[in-house]
Amino acid sequence: MKNLIFLLVFIFTLPPFSSAGAQPLETIKVAVNQAMVILNDPQYKDESRKNIQRDEIWQIIRQVFDLEGIARITLARSWQQFTAAEREEFTEVFG
């Protein structure tokens, strides 16, 4: 199930910071490499630093994926029925 979600996220989003010549696969590779550096960093072995590690990984994810767009696609027609506050809350919970 997680693989399916990742595949859908990958298909339906475009990196907001990619330049006109950047290839999507290269953008994903760079983000994955950055995340792997954080995941393998020994300073995060301590449980008290896991939240910091998670926040740094989410920063990378937010740079690459349009989480609001993914949330909008997930809700489909219902997106228009939600208030702006509900949309924002769903987007925050979603990603």
Side-chain angles (χ1 to χ4, degrees):
M1 185 62 160
K2 288 183 181 181
N3 290 338
L4 177 61
I5 292 171
F6 177 78
L7 179 62
L8 290 174
V9 167
F10 182 76
I11 291 171
F12 290 112
T13 60
L14 293 174
F17 67 84
S18 68
S19 64
Q23 296 296 318
L25 183 58
E26 185 61 30
T27 301
I28 297 298
K29 283 181 180 181
V30 168
V32 168
N33 288 337
Q34 290 172 339
M36 291 304 295
V37 167
I38 294 169
L39 288 169
N40 292 320
D41 191 331
Q43 72 173 320
Y44 298 116
K45 298 287 185 211
D46 183 359
E47 282 297 317
S48 67
R49 300 199 40 89
K50 291 292 183 182
N51 286 338
I52 297 168
Q53 181 184 42
R54 185 178 16 254
D55 290 344
E56 289 185 21
I57 291 172
W58 272 107
Q59 286 177 4
I60 294 168
I61 292 169
R62 287 185 187 102
Q63 289 174 353
V64 176
F65 295 103
D66 177 8
L67 296 179
E68 182 178 332
I70 296 168
R72 191 172 45 248
I73 290 168
T74 302
L75 290 176
R77 293 182 212 158
S78 300
W79 182 260
Q80 294 303 322
Q81 297 170 2
F82 283 34
T83 66
E86 290 170 327
R87 292 177 191 167
E88 183 176 336
E89 181 181 356
F90 182 79
T91 302
E92 288 177 17
V93 171
F94 189 80

